[in-house]
Amino acid sequence: LRHKPNPWLTAFNFKRTLQYHACFRGNGYAAIFRNGGGDPVELLLLSPTATVPVQKNGHLYYAPPAGGSERTPSTLDVIPLRGRS
């Protein structure tokens, strides 16, 4: 993941885009996708304007964009990069 977090982005572009989201959109979010053994295999950027932190049953979740077929990742599967506040 250090060199290629997913098939579409290099590590440099991934980090640059995540930082851009944090600086100019308020927050940046990336989802961690794991294999059956629990090892991370892919990092994907989440929409900074559509991803919303939600507390449910005492746990923090990040709601994916409405109408999407994405799963709702738990706090452990999301990298939040907070912007200026």
Side-chain angles (χ1 to χ4, degrees), residues 6-49:
N6 60 53
W8 306 281
L9 295 170
T10 64
F12 174 79
N13 286 332
F14 177 84
K15 292 174 193 174
R16 181 174 62 173
T17 304
L18 188 61
Q19 184 68 45
Y20 174 86
H21 286 172
C23 289
F24 298 105
R25 298 292 184 180
N27 292 302
Y29 300 102
I32 303 169
F33 290 92
R34 302 175 187 275
N35 63 15
D39 298 321
V41 293
E42 187 174 48
L43 297 173
L44 292 177
L45 294 168
L46 298 175
S47 169
T49 55

Side-chain angles (χ1 to χ4, degrees), residues 38-78:
D39 298 321
V41 293
E42 187 174 48
L43 297 173
L44 292 177
L45 294 168
L46 298 175
S47 169
T49 55
T51 303
V52 180
V54 177
Q55 190 174 27
K56 189 163 118 180
N57 299 331
H59 291 38
L60 180 66
Y61 295 94
Y62 293 92
S69 60
E70 301 176 49
R71 65 182 175 93
T72 304
S74 73
T75 303
L76 298 175
D77 290 332
V78 172

